[in-house]
Amino acid sequence: MPGGSLLPFSSAPLGSVGGGAGGSPGGGVSGSGLLLLGPAGRKLSGFRLTEKFVLLLVFSGFITLCFGAIFFLPDSPKLLSGVFFQQPPPPPSHRAQIGLDEDMFVDGGRLARIREEHERALREAKDTLNRPVEDIQGDILRDKERMAQGRVTAGGKKLPSRTFTQPIGVVGKEPQDPAVKEKRDKIKEMMQFSWDNYKRYAWGLNELKPIQKQGHSSNLFGNIQGATIVDALDTLFIMEMKDEFKEAKEWVEKNLEFNVNAEVSVFEVNIRFVGGLLSAYYLSGDEIFRRKAVELGEKLLPAFNTPTGIPWALLNIKSGIGRNWPWASGGSSILAEFGTLHLEFIHLSQVSGNPVFAEKVTNIRKVLNRLDKPQGLYPNYLNPSSGQWGQHHVSVGGLGDSFYEYLLKAWLMSDKTDHEAKKMYYEAVQAIETHLIRKSSSGLTYIAEWKGGLLEHKMGHLTCFAGGMFALGADGAPTDKTGHHTELAAEIARTCHESYDRTTMKLGPEAFRFDGGVEAIATRQNEKYYILRPEVIETYMYMWRFTHDPKYRQWGWEAVQALEKYCRVEGGYSGVRDVYAAHPSHDDVQQSFYLAETLKYLYLLFSDDDLLPLEHWIFNTEAHPLPIVHKGDRTTEGRSI
């Protein structure tokens, strides 16, 4: 369930679009744009080192020309010092983020640096000229082999070799009940329809506008493209849509690029792109997914360059400069965003052998544990500079939701050895029960929002994930609370089903209220929309797995019928603006999480428990399955993570 985001009709929490393909064998244009010709006009398009050599010679000639021009001009020392080297340095607060050296702003230091680089370039050119052609060709072949095997990232950094062992439960059995199999086949057809239309009208872009039949762009991803492709990879795999998975993999290999000069949401890019790539790797064993995941993870690391280590919400992944949402409580980071990195970053350390990813998210815990919690609750806003809470607004829905989810799942993913996460989770749930969970006059259990001690009797669609969370965590609860957590989960599932059942379309609103005699109904126009969200279906899936009560499959099938009747259009699936209206007004966005989450959870609801069994897999908040890290798997290059 996408947690903590912000904008309705965008793509995740509260609402939360390719680079160049490789050259063909017949091409004569190198990746740098140069046409390289050998003797008798033979094309040498594959010789990467040769291309570098040519560029090096061009660069060296350019530097030589510049130096000649500078030193033969009149009064050249004055020109050097007065024009080129007296620009003021950037503010100190930015230097750590963009990696500038102090001596670059000192006249002599910069001049010496340029001369040194010029001399080094000439030495490298001379060395390359003296090397036999056979050596150069050998290096090229080795580079290609290493890239193909995934041992280096796109930035040229080495990845350790890793023996892949496919986890348990990647492929399940066909349901024996013909009626259940028919329903599951229908859900697979819905996935096929969604994918085919995305491919037809928006291939390579982030999302699909199914009515206008064109691509949809969201600023959450900056200029990174292909959100639907990456988000859908694991759904395609577990539904055994092999041809579609293959074409998605080929797109990732040739076109997925992260060198974009634009701001991205660290949270959204992490749960969709990093999570999707990691999951695809663990399911398939294809090294391209591991390499791309680690490459992207490295690009997100500058987000943690704050005084406390609490990451920025937004990051320019080219410059490494971060900031927070302007509206977020005096420049605060958001609980659900910085608290929803742990699962993916632990696995990034696992697959890369680099402990830095795990260290970054472990530090977040240290900061949180030093803070006093009002009434034992975690406010939604934390200032990354001062390390203090912002306004005291607490929600298990948008802005807070997946923080709690990741505490529980961090403990489960660690094979129940992360006792700190366990303690934090169950203490938080106790505070939530005491201060936020209430019953309506007719007996519906709901989770309200807390604003400085005052309750707002509103529950968001996003909050409906909590039923599944309580069920998943019931076994680890204190002995006298195990049954209570299961009962609480069932009550939340019932309330969320009522929010669907009390609408005209049998689809749930974005938020529903319990005040003024109203129960489980949206009373404000800006809360009546449905954007293909998965949280209610997510809870049905967990409740089915733990109880096998047939009502959860019945409720899930009701949602399938409503999606088909009101959200399916000629070009895909669209959200609707008012679930209480007799006829749908479509928002014209097929969200990437519809393929990643809603359809996956429905498929699992009508599958046997041997497909992605919960004792071996944990789902991130975008429903990307990640394997439980068993004790014997926790060393990489001799370092424990």
Side-chain angles (χ1 to χ4, degrees):
M1 115 294 141
S5 198
L6 326 158
L7 307 171
F9 306 111
S10 75
S11 313
L14 257 142
S16 4
V17 197
S24 63
V29 181
S30 75
S32 61
L34 296 176
L35 182 65
L36 304 179
L37 299 177
R42 288 190 291 109
K43 297 175 183 177
L44 304 176
S45 59
F47 293 165
R48 189 178 304 159
L49 289 181
T50 308
E51 296 173 15
K52 291 180 181 178
F53 169 62
V54 172
L55 289 171
L56 199 59
L57 289 179
V58 172
F59 175 72
S60 301
F62 176 75
I63 293 295
T64 302
L65 182 62
C66 289
F67 267 86
I70 290 171
F71 287 108
F72 284 99
L73 282 172
D75 204 12
S76 59
K78 197 175 294 184
L79 181 67
L80 283 169
S81 61
V83 177
F84 291 109
F85 303 118
Q86 287 186 354
Q87 298 175 9
S93 61
H94 290 286
R95 281 199 193 143
Q97 295 170 333
I98 59 178
L100 298 175
D101 298 324
E102 291 290 341
D103 66 354
M104 290 294 284
F105 300 100
V106 179
D107 295 359
R110 183 165 180 176
L111 182 57
R113 176 71 59 87
I114 293 175
R115 284 173 171 158
E116 180 183 341
E117 290 294 321
H118 172 63
E119 292 171 359
R120 182 180 60 80
L122 290 176
R123 287 197 303 270
E124 289 181 358
K126 183 177 179 180
D127 290 343
T128 303
L129 279 173
N130 292 332
R131 294 186 64 200
V133 173
E134 293 79 6
D135 287 357
I136 297 174
Q137 291 175 336
D139 282 350
I140 292 167
L141 293 173
R142 282 190 291 274
D143 280 349
K144 286 186 174 181
E145 181 184 354
R146 290 168 63 219
M147 290 292 286
Q149 293 177 355
R151 292 202 294 268
V152 293
T153 65
K157 297 182 179 180
K158 294 182 180 179
L159 278 178
S161 59
R162 188 175 192 274
T163 302
F164 174 75
T165 303
Q166 194 173 61
I168 295 171
V170 168
V171 179
K173 300 188 298 289
E174 287 280 342
Q176 293 184 350
D177 185 333
V180 174
K181 183 181 183 303
E182 183 180 359
K183 289 180 171 66
R184 193 175 83 152
D185 288 346
K186 172 58 183 175
I187 295 159
K188 182 175 179 178
E189 184 276 330
M190 294 167 72
M191 177 67 181
Q192 187 76 61
F193 184 73
S194 305
W195 179 262
D196 287 348
N197 279 285
Y198 168 76
K199 182 182 176 183
R200 183 176 297 115
Y201 301 120
W203 183 246
L205 302 177
N206 276 327
E207 291 167 323
L208 166 68
K209 297 176 76 68
I211 295 175
Q212 295 186 41
K213 297 180 181 177
Q214 63 185 39
H216 170 67
S217 179
S218 169
N219 61 3
L220 296 172
F221 314 117
N223 294 332
I224 300 177
Q225 304 290 320
T228 291
I229 296 175
V230 177
D231 238 359
L233 280 165
D234 49 20
T235 307
L236 295 171
F237 191 94
I238 68 169
M239 290 187 182
E240 300 185 66
M241 298 171 65
K242 297 179 180 179
D243 291 341
E244 291 79 5
F245 181 83
K246 181 180 178 182
E247 64 191 1
K249 174 192 169 183
E250 289 174 350
W251 186 90
V252 168
E253 192 163 15
K254 295 178 180 178
N255 298 287
L256 183 58
E257 296 290 343
F258 306 127
N259 294 317
V260 297
N261 186 20
E263 278 187 329
V264 303
S265 163
V266 174
F267 162 78
E268 295 288 354
V269 167
N270 176 64
I271 66 171
R272 303 195 200 205
F273 284 89
V274 177
L277 292 165
L278 284 170
S279 180
Y281 168 68
Y282 281 120
L283 290 169
S284 70
D286 289 325
E287 281 288 338
I288 183 61
F289 300 129
R290 178 170 78 120
R291 180 166 62 84
K292 288 288 186 180
V294 175
E295 178 190 351
L296 180 53
E298 290 170 347
K299 290 187 176 296
L300 295 180
L301 288 175
F304 295 85
N305 292 342
T306 67
T308 61
I310 297 295
W312 300 111
L314 302 169
L315 179 72
N316 184 306
I317 58 178
K318 185 171 185 178
S319 69
I321 296 175
R323 67 183 179 100
N324 278 332
W325 299 102
W327 50 263
S329 186
S332 291
S333 299
I334 297 169
L335 182 69
E337 298 197 335
F338 67 76
T340 310
L341 303 169
H342 196 95
L343 303 186
E344 297 84 0
F345 273 56
I346 291 295
H347 271 288
L348 284 174
S349 282
Q350 186 72 13
V351 301
S352 70
N354 187 349
V356 68
F357 301 106
E359 290 166 358
K360 295 296 185 184
V361 291
T362 301
N363 176 68
I364 293 173
R365 294 250 195 98
K366 294 177 182 177
V367 174
L368 291 174
N369 282 327
R370 288 196 297 264
L371 291 169
D372 291 330
K373 288 82 180 173
Q375 306 297 321
L377 298 167
Y378 289 83
N380 290 339
Y381 301 104
L382 180 64
N383 189 295
S385 297
S386 68
Q388 299 300 312
W389 298 118
Q391 66 188 57
H392 286 188
H393 174 207
V394 178
S395 170
V396 184
L399 306 179
D401 47 9
S402 46
F403 164 71
Y404 306 99
E405 174 191 4
Y406 269 39
L407 289 178
L408 171 63
K409 291 181 176 180
W411 173 58
L412 295 174
M413 195 182 76
S414 72
D415 206 9
K416 300 184 178 180
T417 62
D418 186 349
H419 299 294
E420 180 182 57
K422 178 183 180 182
K423 180 176 183 292
M424 292 173 71
Y425 170 73
Y426 288 105
E427 288 179 351
V429 169
Q430 182 59 51
I432 289 167
E433 272 210 83
T434 301
H435 300 288
L436 304 183
I437 295 182
R438 296 291 184 266
K439 273 189 184 290
S440 71
S441 57
S442 68
L444 290 179
T445 299
Y446 63 96
I447 307 177
E449 297 190 8
W450 190 81
K451 295 185 176 180
L454 300 176
L455 281 185
E456 183 179 13
H457 296 271
K458 176 188 77 169
M459 184 170 174
H461 192 292
L462 287 162
T463 318
C464 285
F465 90 97
M469 180 179 73
F470 293 146
L472 186 61
D475 280 349
T479 306
D480 60 334
K481 291 281 190 178
T482 301
H484 172 68
H485 278 227
T486 302
E487 181 182 339
L488 180 59
E491 291 178 359
I492 296 296
R494 174 175 169 246
T495 297
C496 292
H497 175 255
E498 285 296 315
S499 77
Y500 273 52
D501 202 44
R502 298 182 185 196
T503 71
T504 304
M505 296 182 185
K506 307 303 179 186
L507 293 168
E510 182 68 8
F512 45 95
R513 295 182 178 266
F514 296 84
D515 51 20
V518 168
E519 294 190 4
I521 293 175
T523 59
R524 303 181 183 182
Q525 192 59 42
N526 64 356
E527 296 173 348
K528 295 181 179 181
Y529 61 87
Y530 172 72
I531 57 171
L532 308 175
R533 286 205 185 278
E535 288 76 23
V536 175
I537 308 298
E538 177 183 0
T539 280
Y540 294 167
M541 189 278 291
Y542 280 110
M543 294 306 296
W544 166 257
R545 286 283 180 103
F546 287 112
T547 71
H548 287 161
D549 187 327
K551 71 183 178 187
Y552 297 113
R553 280 184 166 174
Q554 176 190 334
W555 292 352
W557 188 246
E558 290 172 3
V560 169
Q561 293 174 307
L563 285 165
E564 287 295 280
K565 185 174 182 178
Y566 296 107
C567 297
R568 185 164 178 154
V569 296
E570 184 180 352
Y573 288 86
S574 169
V576 293
R577 292 189 171 90
D578 187 345
V579 293
Y580 300 94
H583 303 286
S585 171
H586 294 106
D587 66 21
D588 197 19
V589 181
Q590 179 176 283
Q591 307 279 352
S592 79
F593 59 69
Y594 179 64
L595 290 78
E597 300 187 75
T598 309
L599 293 177
K600 183 188 287 115
Y601 283 134
L602 282 168
Y603 189 79
L604 292 172
L605 178 61
F606 292 96
S607 296
D608 291 346
D609 296 357
D610 64 339
L611 179 59
L612 301 178
L614 299 181
E615 60 267 29
H616 294 286
W617 294 89
I618 289 295
F619 294 92
N620 88 334
T621 202
E622 191 78 355
H624 295 308
L626 300 170
I628 287 174
V629 183
H630 297 289
K631 297 176 185 178
D633 300 332
R634 265 182 235 140
T635 56
T636 52
E637 292 188 338
R639 295 188 297 269
S640 173
I641 63 167

